[in-house]
Amino acid sequence: MAERRRLLIDCRRLQCADEHRCFVLEEHESRYLRKVLRLKQGAEVDVIDGRGHLWMARLRDGQQLELCTEIEEPSQSVISPLPKLGLAIALIRRGMDDVMRMACELGVDRLQPLDCQRSVPQAEHRPERWSSILQEAVEQCERLWAPELPALCSAAAWWQTPSQHDLRLIAVTREVESPPLSALLASQASVERSIWLSIGPEGGWSDQELAAARAAGWISVSLGDTILRSSTAAVAGVSSLSNWRTFRC
């Protein structure tokens, strides 16, 4: 099957299409289609809104796209997968871009950056860049639902933020009594509540953060016998969550 290029367009812009189902491309979108993909007038491209819908469209003149159907009649619609998967990760010095991209490709629904006590001063916080990375990842991996990227949250405020009905997990090291993440997931029935996994910074969680998380009802889990970099731990944990949802739910 021939590859079809995708473009993620905010649903509010799609609603502003004219009576001919056309809407104006932003400069970076037009440049991407014309200069990077080298699409000519009349070329087909798939448009997604990041909310479960896909439309077939045609490039008009390099500056406009024309939807092939009415906005109320998308070519494809899918329900958001359940349970929702969330990754909360402390700001880290290197690897955050890769975490964002790979977590999106693996199907994470929410990505929450955390400011932790042991986050180093050089830790990256680039929400605009991450939003761009997520958009590109959504288009590349053919997701129809784009992940949410909330604003930076302090770890102190984070433990009380998700619903108490969610399954809330915090990755720890050197704690033999903490169950492996895979074993804990295997014991879970299919659930519709959200599942959160929190990953700490390079220096690990502080004692105060661990105590506050446990007091709020978070469950400690292990990601293996070795000490993983934060970025590696995030991807390993998300892989387990994604596989569990795919094959168990």
Side-chain angles (χ1 to χ4, degrees), residues 25-43:
L25 293 167
E26 295 182 352
E27 178 58 32
H28 72 279
E29 296 166 343
S30 176
R31 183 171 58 253
Y32 172 68
L33 295 179
R34 292 183 293 107
K35 301 296 185 180
V36 179
L37 299 185
R38 300 184 182 278
L39 298 183
K40 305 298 184 181
Q41 182 173 346

Side-chain angles (χ1 to χ4, degrees), residues 74-95:
S75 304
Q76 185 178 353
S77 296
V78 298
I79 299 173
S80 180
L82 294 174
K84 294 289 188 182
L85 303 181
L87 171 68
I89 180 169
L91 296 180
I92 55 178
R93 183 166 51 186
R94 297 187 184 92

Side-chain angles (χ1 to χ4, degrees), residues 183-231:
L184 186 143
L185 291 174
S187 68
Q188 300 293 311
S190 299
V191 293
E192 293 188 0
R193 59 179 175 163
S194 297
I195 300 177
W196 280 100
L197 176 65
S198 291
I199 302 291
E202 288 95 335
W205 304 107
S206 69
D207 292 341
Q208 296 94 326
E209 288 168 341
L210 282 174
R214 286 165 177 155
W218 288 73
I219 302 171
S220 298
V221 294
S222 168
L223 297 179
D225 297 331
T226 56
I227 305 301
L228 306 177
R229 296 177 64 92
S230 296
S231 55

Side-chain angles (χ1 to χ4, degrees), residues 156-176:
W158 169 243
W159 310 122
Q160 300 290 346
T161 300
S163 169
Q164 294 185 359
H165 298 292
D166 294 344
L167 179 59
R168 297 163 297 157
L169 310 174
I170 177 172
V172 297
T173 58
R174 302 188 182 92
E175 294 189 3
V176 296

Side-chain angles (χ1 to χ4, degrees), residues 11-27:
C11 58
R12 291 169 294 185
R13 287 177 57 202
L14 294 176
Q15 293 291 341
C16 294
D18 63 21
E19 66 272 15
H20 303 293
R21 304 190 302 274
C22 294
F23 60 93
V24 178
L25 293 167
E26 295 182 352
E27 178 58 32

